[in-house]
Amino acid sequence: MANGILIVDDAAFMRMMIKDVLSKNGFLIAGEAENGAKAVEKYKECNPELVIMDITMPEVDGIQAVKEIKNINPSAKIIMCSAMGQQAMVIEAIQAGAKDFIVKPFQAERIIEAVKKVLG
């Protein structure tokens, strides 16, 4: 894994939980961001191999951030993560370019499964 994984969530404990699961499974963490605007900045800065992005965040939401990241790098790999498992949100995230969707609360195995699937 070249540049690691960028974790984006407005809740610090969620970032910590995801980081913990990934680290324990041998994945490198490229960085963290607490909203979509910071996620786009961080993406440019560290060019991560994968982004795990929350949908509902202040300032810039996850779907908007996905669109901006896809403009920077059309082949960016992004997994959405949100408590709102509403069909419309999932569809919008996938249309924006997300490769997978994790519903909170999640199991550690589900995160690892999604990351391995997206990174191929």
Side-chain angles (χ1 to χ4, degrees), residues 3 6 13 15 23 28 42 48 60-63 79-80 85 90 97 100-101 118:
N3 304 327
L6 175 62
F13 78 94
R15 294 195 307 269
S23 298
L28 183 73
K42 274 278 193 213
V60 176
D61 73 10
I63 291 172
I79 297 173
M80 300 310 283
V90 176
D100 203 344
F101 195 97
V118 172

Side-chain angles (χ1 to χ4, degrees), residues 17 21-22 25 106-114:
M17 278 174 53
V21 168
L22 293 171
N25 284 275
F106 47 72
Q107 312 299 163
E109 307 82 62
R110 175 66 185 110
I111 293 179
I112 299 309
E113 174 198 312

Side-chain angles (χ1 to χ4, degrees), residues 44-117:
K44 290 179 193 167
E45 203 176 285
C46 57
N47 190 25
E49 193 167 4
L50 174 69
V51 181
I52 296 180
M53 174 100 62
D54 187 19
I55 288 185
T56 317
M57 294 182 291
E59 290 184 54
V60 176
D61 73 10
I63 291 172
Q64 186 56 43
V66 168
K67 291 175 182 168
E68 290 180 35
I69 288 170
K70 284 293 200 175
N71 282 338
I72 297 164
N73 177 5
S75 61
K77 294 183 169 109
I78 302 163
I79 297 173
M80 300 310 283
C81 184
S82 183
M84 298 191 294
Q86 298 146 326
Q87 213 54 39
M89 284 282 202
V90 176
I91 292 165
E92 198 178 344
I94 302 296
Q95 284 172 340
K99 301 273 186 225
D100 203 344
F101 195 97
I102 301 168
V103 178
K104 297 179 201 170
F106 47 72
Q107 312 299 163
E109 307 82 62
R110 175 66 185 110
I111 293 179
I112 299 309
E113 174 198 312
V115 167
K116 286 180 175 169
K117 187 180 98 181

